[in-house]
């Protein structure tokens, strides 16, 4: 998102190409997922130019796709795990979006990038 923001700011454009695919995995625990999404929320909160990003909409789309994939594959026993993962993402993102309301000493503990907060004013 940061690179796309920079490109657009320089008069370039960014294109979504659904034919392009990337297969990757982040095998994270719910706590690690929370921390990852906390950082994403902080990033988005600090860049008001990203108003086109709609995390709640995208998250709902992702959640529906996950449940549909479980249903289609007949693996509904994974639903509790997927639900926990989705909750961690949602809570982390919302905490990150509101990071300025969180005490400064807690922010590095919630982030996967603790070093980012070293020179952060405690506002």
């Amino acid at each position: 998102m940061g690179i796309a923001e920079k490109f657009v700011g320089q008069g370039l454009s960014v294109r979504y190409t659904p034919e392009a695919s990337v297969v990757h995995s982040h095998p994270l625990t719910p706590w690690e997922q929370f921390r990852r999404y906390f950082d994403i929320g902080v990033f988005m909160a600090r860049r008001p130019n990203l108003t086109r990003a709609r995390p709640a909409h995208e998250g709902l789309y992702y959640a529906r796709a996950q449940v549909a994939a479980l249903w289609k594959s007949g693996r509904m026993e994974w639903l509790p795990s997927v639900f926990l993962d989705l909750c961690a993402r949602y809570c982390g993102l919302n905490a990150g979006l509101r990071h300025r309301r969180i005490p400064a000493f807690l922010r590095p503990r919630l982030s996967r990038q603790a070093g980012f907060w070293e020179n952060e004013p405690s506002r």
Side-chain angles (χ1 to χ4, degrees), residues 1 9 22 31 51 86 108 111 121:
M1 286 189 293
V22 176
W31 173 240
T51 56
L86 292 170
S111 174

Side-chain angles (χ1 to χ4, degrees), residues 11-123:
L12 301 171
S13 62
V14 178
R15 178 184 294 182
Y16 170 71
T17 307
E19 300 83 31
S21 66
V22 176
V23 177
H24 70 282
S25 175
H26 298 284
L28 303 176
T29 66
W31 173 240
E32 291 169 326
Q33 199 70 281
F34 174 94
R35 295 175 77 200
R36 179 173 183 249
Y37 275 78
F38 176 81
D39 291 340
I40 292 170
V42 169
F43 173 84
M44 294 179 79
R46 290 174 172 230
R47 287 173 174 73
N49 293 341
L50 292 177
T51 56
R52 297 177 104 188
R54 301 181 312 173
H57 173 77
E58 296 301 324
L60 189 56
Y61 175 81
Y62 178 77
R64 286 181 183 150
Q66 286 286 86
V67 172
L70 289 178
W71 182 266
K72 185 176 180 181
S73 69
R75 303 301 305 253
M76 291 304 285
E77 70 272 12
W78 289 2
L79 189 58
S81 176
V82 168
F83 178 76
L84 186 59
D85 177 77
L86 292 170
C87 287
R89 291 171 189 241
Y90 178 82
C91 292
L93 181 69
N94 282 290
L97 289 170
R98 294 163 180 79
H99 70 279
R100 288 184 177 92
R101 298 179 187 172
I102 296 172
F105 77 92
L106 278 179
R107 296 174 195 163
R109 291 173 175 83
L110 298 176
S111 174
R112 293 183 79 198
Q113 309 298 325
F116 171 82
W117 301 98
E118 287 177 3
N119 298 318
E120 180 70 11
S122 57
R123 46 178 179 193

